mmCIF file of all heavy atoms in Angstrom:
data_model
loop_
_atom_site.group_PDB
_atom_site.id
_atom_site.type_symbol
_atom_site.label_atom_id
_atom_site.label_comp_id
_atom_site.label_asym_id
_atom_site.label_seq_id
_atom_site.Cartn_x
_atom_site.Cartn_y
_atom_site.Cartn_z
ATOM 1 N N ILE Z 28 -15.687 -5.954 -9.944
ATOM 2 C CA ILE Z 28 -14.751 -6.952 -9.403
ATOM 3 C C ILE Z 28 -15.544 -8.219 -9.084
ATOM 4 O O ILE Z 28 -16.538 -8.180 -8.359
ATOM 5 C CB ILE Z 28 -14.069 -6.413 -8.117
ATOM 6 C CG1 ILE Z 28 -13.375 -5.065 -8.386
ATOM 7 C CG2 ILE Z 28 -13.084 -7.439 -7.551
ATOM 8 C CD1 ILE Z 28 -12.309 -5.088 -9.449
ATOM 9 N N GLU Z 57 -17.849 -15.283 4.534
ATOM 10 C CA GLU Z 57 -17.834 -14.903 5.950
ATOM 11 C C GLU Z 57 -17.773 -13.369 6.104
ATOM 12 O O GLU Z 57 -18.449 -12.789 6.968
ATOM 13 C CB GLU Z 57 -16.624 -15.570 6.616
ATOM 14 C CG GLU Z 57 -16.660 -15.651 8.111
ATOM 15 C CD GLU Z 57 -17.908 -16.353 8.630
ATOM 16 O OE1 GLU Z 57 -18.245 -17.456 8.141
ATOM 17 O OE2 GLU Z 57 -18.555 -15.771 9.512
ATOM 18 N N ALA Z 66 -24.784 -4.668 9.519
ATOM 19 C CA ALA Z 66 -25.603 -3.577 8.948
ATOM 20 C C ALA Z 66 -27.048 -3.705 9.412
ATOM 21 O O ALA Z 66 -27.667 -2.723 9.821
ATOM 22 C CB ALA Z 66 -25.523 -3.597 7.428
ATOM 23 N N SER Z 199 17.532 -0.458 14.089
ATOM 24 C CA SER Z 199 18.771 -0.102 14.795
ATOM 25 C C SER Z 199 19.154 1.358 14.529
ATOM 26 O O SER Z 199 19.583 2.067 15.447
ATOM 27 C CB SER Z 199 19.857 -1.132 14.487
ATOM 28 O OG SER Z 199 20.893 -0.581 13.793
ATOM 29 N N HIS Z 214 1.007 -3.526 2.250
ATOM 30 C CA HIS Z 214 1.126 -4.644 1.308
ATOM 31 C C HIS Z 214 1.727 -5.907 1.941
ATOM 32 O O HIS Z 214 1.855 -6.927 1.271
ATOM 33 C CB HIS Z 214 1.934 -4.212 0.080
ATOM 34 C CG HIS Z 214 1.254 -3.096 -0.658
ATOM 35 N ND1 HIS Z 214 0.220 -3.315 -1.530
ATOM 36 C CD2 HIS Z 214 1.426 -1.752 -0.592
ATOM 37 C CE1 HIS Z 214 -0.212 -2.144 -1.997
ATOM 38 N NE2 HIS Z 214 0.509 -1.185 -1.440
ATOM 39 N N THR Z 260 -3.177 7.508 22.884
ATOM 40 C CA THR Z 260 -3.860 8.582 23.639
ATOM 41 C C THR Z 260 -3.585 9.936 22.982
ATOM 42 O O THR Z 260 -4.490 10.760 22.824
ATOM 43 C CB THR Z 260 -3.374 8.592 25.104
ATOM 44 O OG1 THR Z 260 -3.553 7.286 25.625
ATOM 45 C CG2 THR Z 260 -4.147 9.585 25.946
ATOM 46 N N ILE Z 279 -18.597 -2.411 7.765
ATOM 47 C CA ILE Z 279 -17.143 -2.543 7.582
ATOM 48 C C ILE Z 279 -16.517 -3.169 8.827
ATOM 49 O O ILE Z 279 -15.620 -4.025 8.719
ATOM 50 C CB ILE Z 279 -16.521 -1.155 7.292
ATOM 51 C CG1 ILE Z 279 -17.024 -0.613 5.952
ATOM 52 C CG2 ILE Z 279 -14.990 -1.205 7.299
ATOM 53 C CD1 ILE Z 279 -16.631 -1.430 4.748
ATOM 54 N N ASP Z 288 -10.748 -13.196 12.005
ATOM 55 C CA ASP Z 288 -11.006 -14.602 12.364
ATOM 56 C C ASP Z 288 -10.344 -15.542 11.361
ATOM 57 O O ASP Z 288 -9.809 -16.588 11.731
ATOM 58 C CB ASP Z 288 -12.518 -14.895 12.330
ATOM 59 C CG ASP Z 288 -13.237 -14.351 13.546
ATOM 60 O OD1 ASP Z 288 -12.557 -13.919 14.497
ATOM 61 O OD2 ASP Z 288 -14.493 -14.336 13.526
ATOM 62 N N ARG Z 306 7.072 -18.279 -9.121
ATOM 63 C CA ARG Z 306 7.029 -18.912 -10.455
ATOM 64 C C ARG Z 306 6.850 -17.856 -11.554
ATOM 65 O O ARG Z 306 7.568 -17.869 -12.561
ATOM 66 C CB ARG Z 306 5.863 -19.915 -10.492
ATOM 67 C CG ARG Z 306 5.797 -20.643 -11.781
ATOM 68 C CD ARG Z 306 4.688 -21.657 -11.899
ATOM 69 N NE ARG Z 306 4.486 -21.878 -13.317
ATOM 70 C CZ ARG Z 306 3.305 -22.006 -13.894
ATOM 71 N NH1 ARG Z 306 2.208 -21.983 -13.182
ATOM 72 N NH2 ARG Z 306 3.223 -22.180 -15.194
ATOM 73 N N GLU Z 333 6.197 5.682 -20.884
ATOM 74 C CA GLU Z 333 4.765 5.729 -20.578
ATOM 75 C C GLU Z 333 3.926 4.984 -21.620
ATOM 76 O O GLU Z 333 3.047 4.191 -21.278
ATOM 77 C CB GLU Z 333 4.258 7.177 -20.525
ATOM 78 C CG GLU Z 333 4.568 7.912 -19.247
ATOM 79 C CD GLU Z 333 5.919 8.612 -19.294
ATOM 80 O OE1 GLU Z 333 6.783 8.196 -20.093
ATOM 81 O OE2 GLU Z 333 6.116 9.562 -18.521
ATOM 82 N N LEU Z 367 1.985 -6.006 -11.740
ATOM 83 C CA LEU Z 367 1.254 -7.270 -11.621
ATOM 84 C C LEU Z 367 1.090 -7.565 -10.149
ATOM 85 O O LEU Z 367 2.078 -7.560 -9.406
ATOM 86 C CB LEU Z 367 2.088 -8.409 -12.185
ATOM 87 C CG LEU Z 367 2.091 -8.712 -13.674
ATOM 88 C CD1 LEU Z 367 3.019 -9.888 -13.925
ATOM 89 C CD2 LEU Z 367 0.682 -9.050 -14.148
ATOM 90 N N ALA Z 371 -4.106 -15.222 -4.038
ATOM 91 C CA ALA Z 371 -4.282 -16.655 -3.775
ATOM 92 C C ALA Z 371 -5.490 -17.182 -4.541
ATOM 93 O O ALA Z 371 -5.640 -18.390 -4.724
ATOM 94 C CB ALA Z 371 -4.450 -16.885 -2.276
#
Side-chain angles (χ1 to χ4, degrees):
I28 304 301
E57 198 56 49
S199 115
H214 298 279
T260 306
I279 295 296
D288 283 350
R306 183 179 159 221
E333 281 89 337
L367 276 180

